[in-house]
Amino acid sequence: MFSHIIFDLDGTLLNTIDDLADAGNHVCAAHGWPVHTVDQFKRMVGNGIPNLVSRFTPEGLSEDELSGALEEFSAYYAAHKEDKTAPYPGVAALLDALKGAGIRLAVLSNKAHALAGPVVEHYFPGVFDYVQGALPDAPLKPDPALLRALMAHIGARPETTLFVGDSGVDVLTGKNGGLTVAGVLWGFRDREELKDAGADWIIHSPDQLAAIATGTALLPAGQAALAAELLRMGRLAALPTETVYGLAADASQESAVQAVYEAKGRPEAKPLAVLVDGMDMVERVCRDVPEDAYQLASAFWPGPLTMILRGNGTLPPIVTAGGDTQGVRCPHHPDTLAVIQALGKPLACPSANRSGEPSPRSAGDVLAQLAGRIDAVLDGGPCAVGVESTLLDLTVIPYRVLRQGGLSREKLEAVLGRGKLEHI
C-alpha cells in the first residue's frame, strides 16, 4: 500500500482540453491563423502554457508576436477556463476512497502555480494536502526538481509514493524522481506513449487505481456481476446497503466465512447474519419460520430489519458460531440485491469495519479500515439510513428486540399487533 500519491492535473484529474482548445483557437481565429482540432491540442499540451502557445501558432513568429499570443490566450482562458472543464468520471469517488484509506494526496502540474492551486481547490475542495504548480525560476516536468521539493514538503518517500499521470512527460517525471508510476488512458495520450516512457502500470479506469494503491479493488456502482464472481471464488467484497456497508462472503464457503472473521478481527463466538433476496432464500437456510416473519418481510423488506430464526443446518457451523439460530435480512440497495441474485446464495455479511471501530457508511470508510485486507469494495454511494438494522428475535415468545436500529419498535408493533413484543 502506498502512503502518498502525487497526481498530474490536466488529463489526469481534470478534462481541461476543450477549454484549452477553445482558448487556442480563439487566438488563432483572431489573427487569421489555422485552427486545430481537439485531438491535435491533446498532442500539444503537457509542457506548460508557453510551450502550448508556441505549438498552436504558426512557425516563424517573432518573440513579440509569441508574447502577444500568450497574453491573448491567458486572458481568454482565464475568463473561460470553467466553461467545459470537469473531473473525469469516477475520479471524485476514487479520491474520496484513497483519502478515506489514509493515503496523502498531492498534485504536481506544469500549470502556473498561482493558477493550479485555485483550480484544484475549486473542483476538489479539501481533498489534496498540497498542490505544486510551475514556478518562474524552476524547470518544468519531466525535470524532478519540483517533484522532490513537493515530496519533501509532504514527507513522502520514493519507495512508498505513486505518481499518476496521462503522458510520457508525467511518466518520465515520476521515473526521474525514483517513483513507481501509473499511466492513465482516459487523458490526452495513448498506451504506446505511456509504455515507451516506462510506466509501471497502464490503467483504463479510476477504480483500477484503488486496487494498485491499497490492494483492494474499488468497483463502481453497477458492477454486481463482478462482485458476485469474486464471492463465488471465495473472495471478500464490501457491499453497500441502506444501513451500513457490509463485508460479504459466500455463506456456503466455510473458508470464505473464516476470512471474514479474520479481516474484521471478529471473535468467532459471535454469529453472522446473512443477506438474502427474499423469503424463498430464507426457507433454504431456516426452519420453522413463523407466519409473523412473512408478515414482517412483506412490510419491511427490503429494509433495515434483521430477523433471528431457527437455522436448518444448511450453512457451515461457523456462520452461526455453532448455535441453532440464524439472522436473515434482505437489504434495500439495488447493487447488493443484484449481487445476491447473481450469486444465488445467501451472503455472510457483518458490517465492513474492524471489530470495535465505527461502522462504515461509504466506500472510503471501508478502505480506511480494511484496505489491503479484503479483495474489493463495491462503491454504491453513501448509505441512506446510516445505522445498523433493527435486530428482532423471533425464536422466543414474546419476540424480543435485541438491537434498536433503522426500524422503530412502533412500526414493528403496527404489523405484529399488541402483545407480541417483549414489554420494556
Side-chain angles (χ1 to χ4, degrees):
M1 180 169 167
F2 291 94
S3 61
H4 296 75
I5 301 179
I6 300 172
F7 290 87
D8 167 56
L9 181 56
D10 293 24
T12 301
L13 298 173
L14 289 178
N15 186 359
T16 57
I17 196 64
D18 289 307
D19 285 334
L20 290 168
D22 286 350
N25 283 334
H26 170 80
V27 175
C28 291
H31 290 273
W33 301 331
V35 296
H36 309 279
T37 66
V38 171
D39 282 341
Q40 287 173 320
F41 270 95
K42 287 183 178 181
R43 305 301 304 179
M44 298 178 191
V45 297
N47 302 93
I49 294 299
N51 285 316
L52 171 61
V53 172
S54 70
R55 290 166 183 160
F56 72 66
T57 53
E59 293 183 4
L61 294 183
S62 68
E63 290 294 325
D64 287 343
E65 288 173 317
L66 280 173
S67 179
L70 176 58
E71 289 182 9
E72 293 171 31
F73 174 92
S74 299
Y76 187 91
Y77 184 64
H80 297 276
K81 65 181 183 297
E82 296 171 9
D83 288 359
K84 300 175 182 177
T85 290
Y88 286 99
V91 164
L94 167 69
L95 296 176
D96 286 345
L98 295 176
K99 198 169 181 69
I103 298 174
R104 297 192 67 186
L105 308 178
V107 171
L108 177 64
S109 174
N110 274 344
K111 193 183 292 290
H113 186 70
L115 181 60
V119 167
V120 171
E121 187 60 22
H122 174 76
Y123 289 100
F124 309 105
V127 171
F128 290 93
D129 293 286
Y130 195 73
V131 177
Q132 179 64 66
L135 298 175
D137 298 325
L140 297 173
K141 296 185 296 184
D143 189 285
L146 285 179
L147 171 62
R148 289 171 177 155
L150 169 58
M151 292 176 64
H153 183 82
I154 62 176
R157 294 179 297 148
E159 61 270 23
T160 58
T161 300
L162 178 67
F163 195 89
V164 182
D166 72 301
S167 70
V169 168
D170 295 321
V171 175
L172 291 173
T173 302
K175 288 298 181 182
N176 289 341
L179 308 186
T180 302
V181 180
V184 306
L185 291 175
W186 58 78
F188 302 158
R189 298 293 205 269
D190 57 24
R191 179 183 293 275
E192 184 177 359
E193 178 174 324
L194 298 173
K195 180 180 178 181
D196 289 346
D200 297 286
W201 285 287
I202 299 176
I203 58 178
H204 58 76
S205 63
D207 53 277
Q208 288 182 285
L209 190 58
I212 292 170
T214 70
T216 297
L218 182 67
L219 307 180
Q223 292 294 315
L226 181 54
E229 184 59 29
L230 288 171
L231 296 172
R232 190 174 291 112
M233 295 166 60
R235 308 288 183 81
L236 304 184
L239 304 177
T241 76
E242 79 282 15
T243 57
V244 298
Y245 274 70
L247 179 55
D250 179 347
S252 69
Q253 297 188 41
E254 184 173 3
S255 60
V257 178
Q258 178 69 46
V260 170
Y261 281 101
E262 293 172 356
K264 283 178 59 69
R266 180 184 176 97
E268 291 186 20
K270 297 180 66 175
L272 301 177
V274 298
L275 298 184
V276 298
D277 64 355
M279 290 302 292
D280 287 346
M281 192 172 284
V282 169
E283 292 172 351
R284 288 160 49 184
V285 297
C286 295
R287 60 181 174 85
D288 303 329
V289 180
E291 182 61 30
D292 284 332
Y294 293 91
Q295 296 298 324
L296 290 166
S298 178
F300 302 120
W301 278 8
L305 173 65
T306 299
M307 296 186 286
I308 306 298
L309 303 169
R310 295 290 177 190
N312 65 9
T314 300
L315 297 177
I318 190 173
V319 177
T320 62
D324 68 347
T325 61
Q326 178 63 66
V328 291
R329 182 166 90 87
C330 180
H332 190 35
H333 195 288
D335 282 335
T336 298
L337 281 173
V339 171
I340 299 168
Q341 290 160 0
L343 185 66
K345 299 177 183 179
L347 304 178
C349 197
S351 55
N353 60 313
R354 299 297 300 275
S355 288
E357 297 298 320
S359 296
R361 293 164 175 79
S362 69
D365 290 346
V366 176
L367 288 175
Q369 298 189 49
L370 297 179
R373 302 176 68 87
I374 64 176
D375 297 285
V377 180
L378 179 57
D379 187 0
C383 299
V385 176
V387 297
E388 284 81 357
S389 63
T390 294
L391 189 59
L392 179 64
D393 189 349
L394 297 178
T395 68
V396 296
I397 302 294
Y399 303 145
R400 183 179 303 158
V401 175
L402 302 181
R403 180 181 67 202
Q404 186 62 62
L407 186 65
S408 71
R409 181 184 179 91
E410 290 73 22
K411 289 184 177 180
L412 293 173
E413 288 180 326
V415 172
L416 293 171
R418 291 181 176 273
K420 287 196 173 183
L421 284 183
E422 182 181 55
H423 178 72
I424 56 173

